[in-house]
Amino acid sequence: MPQLGESIVEATIMSLKVKPGDNVATDQEVLEVETNKAVMGVTTTCGGVIREMRAKEGQTVPVGYVLGLIEASAEEMERTGSKEWSGEQAPPPQETSKEPQKDDGAHFKTEGEFVEHTHAAGGLPVPTRRRGPQYLSPRIRSRMDDLGITEADLAYITGSGAGGRVTINDFENFISYVDGWPSKQASPMRMAVAGSMQRTWRRPIASASRPILMAPIMMHRKRHPRKPGYTLYFARAFALALAEAPESAGYMVGGKILTPRHIDLGIAVQVSDGVLVPVMRRLNESKLDDLIDEYNMIVAQARNRRLDDEHRGGGIATITNFGGFGLTNSTPMPLPSESLILGIGAVQKVPVWSDEVECFVPVEQAQMVASFDHRVVDGGDIGRLMQRIAFYIEHPELL
């Protein structure tokens, strides 16, 4: 199993494309795996004959696990730089299970206030708060570690001890109570989303919203032969506004606020069990018409969970169109690696007072919501940023 990303420690086998006895070429895709980011293909390092496939569909295996064995000629090995297998093996794959998995604690690494568990529920790294409310005793924390449970998972428990303290009996009763509920194993992507949101909430996140007139881009799109997506209109306007005030998407590290070097924006795309965020690079440097093909391509890639390296990670902010689900307002949450996210609500026809005709007239508008790290920017900064976005949306010919 190769290292498929900097933060990826394991992957789940989705499908096998070869079987023992098959001839394979160098760089041939032999199986598909699902990580916490996407579905990816694993290819051979050299050509030869498949002698054994150790991987099984549905298994979660760590980086370095031997997926299968290829019998190759000495010439092929020399040509590709492949080495003979030494017989060493990474830890065995974890079987998918609906039951909580116990752990001996050897996989926990304390980093200040947090603990990273390398094989928590679902087999993905899950940050777990080590020092939280004092009503959780060391014994309860030990059981939480065994089961891969975080404090957020225990929000339903009402303590029966003195001062509302949660006792070990409260904890065990809760575990027994939920054990019989209908359930399914959380997917790697669902666990990744959960981990990201926990890390995001370690910062003071604030939100601001304002209505925006949609008629200008609706008319522009109606006349446009290629019908750009509404999200692309806002992404381009967002990029132009950020290029004028890049500090709005700054990132705080210690006593410094880092300013983005490039305007690379993420586009949130809903998939079956989570959200993928492909990134469009230097979005402020290309016209709307030149971005349509790239936008359509990365949205299709994300929905198929097959993002290429060029569009994976490294964004400075994200845009999400929750209006596509009929939502008029929401509070989008930025990724842990970003300080800003812009959300767009569904278009509504609402009455607005007109001084010209001295009565209410119907207009089409949507709510635009920005969530941001309040350590980095204030409401006034975000208000000015949103004013610029609104200006570009109301003048789509500038996009």
Side-chain angles (χ1 to χ4, degrees), residues 134-212:
Q134 296 303 309
Y135 61 79
L136 295 180
S137 68
R139 184 178 178 186
I140 293 176
R141 294 187 184 283
S142 177
R143 286 286 287 137
M144 290 169 62
D145 289 348
D146 289 341
L147 299 174
I149 290 176
T150 70
E151 289 178 12
D153 303 332
L154 306 182
Y156 299 99
I157 298 181
T158 301
S160 63
R165 182 184 180 90
V166 175
T167 68
I168 189 63
N169 286 335
D170 296 331
F171 179 85
E172 296 298 346
N173 288 339
F174 171 74
I175 297 301
S176 298
Y177 172 63
V178 301
D179 185 55
W181 286 29
S183 65
K184 64 179 181 180
Q185 191 70 20
S187 69
M189 180 170 291
R190 193 70 257 160
M191 294 299 292
V193 171
S196 291
M197 292 301 97
Q198 283 181 303
R199 296 195 300 278
T200 284
W201 270 113
R202 295 174 62 187
R203 303 172 294 173
I205 302 298
S207 292
S209 66
R210 58 157 289 170
I212 187 167

Side-chain angles (χ1 to χ4, degrees), residues 203-206 242 245-260 316 334 336-340 371-382 384:
R203 303 172 294 173
I205 302 298
L242 281 177
E247 63 277 2
S248 298
Y251 195 87
M252 178 168 279
V253 178
K256 296 182 179 180
I257 295 179
L258 308 180
T259 301
I316 65 165
S337 59
E338 299 174 2
S339 298
L340 178 63
S371 295
F372 54 97
D373 186 341
H374 213 325
R375 300 174 305 163
V376 178
V377 292
D378 298 315
D381 303 316
I382 294 300
R384 285 185 288 272

Side-chain angles (χ1 to χ4, degrees), residues 87-149:
E88 297 180 358
Q89 177 61 290
Q94 291 196 342
E95 298 290 344
T96 301
S97 173
K98 293 183 180 179
E99 299 299 324
Q101 298 295 313
K102 290 197 173 184
D103 194 284
D104 60 7
H107 298 298
F108 283 87
K109 178 182 178 183
T110 302
E111 294 182 1
E113 190 181 30
F114 289 82
V115 174
E116 183 176 64
H117 187 264
T118 60
H119 291 288
L124 289 176
V126 179
T128 306
R129 185 174 295 278
R130 190 63 173 176
R131 299 185 185 91
Q134 296 303 309
Y135 61 79
L136 295 180
S137 68
R139 184 178 178 186
I140 293 176
R141 294 187 184 283
S142 177
R143 286 286 287 137
M144 290 169 62
D145 289 348
D146 289 341
L147 299 174
I149 290 176

Side-chain angles (χ1 to χ4, degrees), residues 171-329:
F171 179 85
E172 296 298 346
N173 288 339
F174 171 74
I175 297 301
S176 298
Y177 172 63
V178 301
D179 185 55
W181 286 29
S183 65
K184 64 179 181 180
Q185 191 70 20
S187 69
M189 180 170 291
R190 193 70 257 160
M191 294 299 292
V193 171
S196 291
M197 292 301 97
Q198 283 181 303
R199 296 195 300 278
T200 284
W201 270 113
R202 295 174 62 187
R203 303 172 294 173
I205 302 298
S207 292
S209 66
R210 58 157 289 170
I212 187 167
L213 294 175
M214 295 293 290
I217 64 170
M218 294 175 72
M219 292 297 295
H220 187 274
R221 185 175 187 271
K222 187 176 181 180
R223 294 191 302 265
H224 200 290
R226 301 187 62 193
K227 304 294 186 288
Y230 288 123
T231 304
L232 183 57
Y233 278 98
F234 276 94
R236 172 71 175 149
F238 193 16
L240 290 175
L242 281 177
E244 298 171 5
E247 63 277 2
S248 298
Y251 195 87
M252 178 168 279
V253 178
K256 296 182 179 180
I257 295 179
L258 308 180
T259 301
R261 293 177 297 176
H262 309 296
I263 308 300
D264 300 337
L265 293 186
I267 311 293
V269 179
Q270 182 78 36
V271 295
S272 59
D273 56 352
V275 178
L276 283 178
V277 186
V279 175
M280 298 183 73
R281 310 291 175 187
R282 301 175 184 263
L283 204 57
N284 59 308
E285 299 177 11
S286 300
K287 291 290 187 180
L288 180 73
D289 288 358
D290 299 327
L291 296 168
I292 296 174
D293 288 338
E294 180 185 6
Y295 172 79
N296 292 337
M297 178 191 72
I298 65 169
V299 169
Q301 285 183 347
R303 287 174 177 162
N304 291 324
R305 301 174 70 160
R306 285 186 168 276
L307 292 179
D308 55 40
D309 293 338
E310 168 64 20
H311 297 96
R312 186 183 298 127
I316 65 165
T318 293
I319 185 166
T320 177
N321 185 356
F322 52 80
F325 302 98
L327 301 176
T328 57
N329 213 325

Side-chain angles (χ1 to χ4, degrees), residues 77 82-87:
M77 293 175 65
S82 300
K83 297 181 180 180
E84 186 175 356
W85 181 48
S86 64

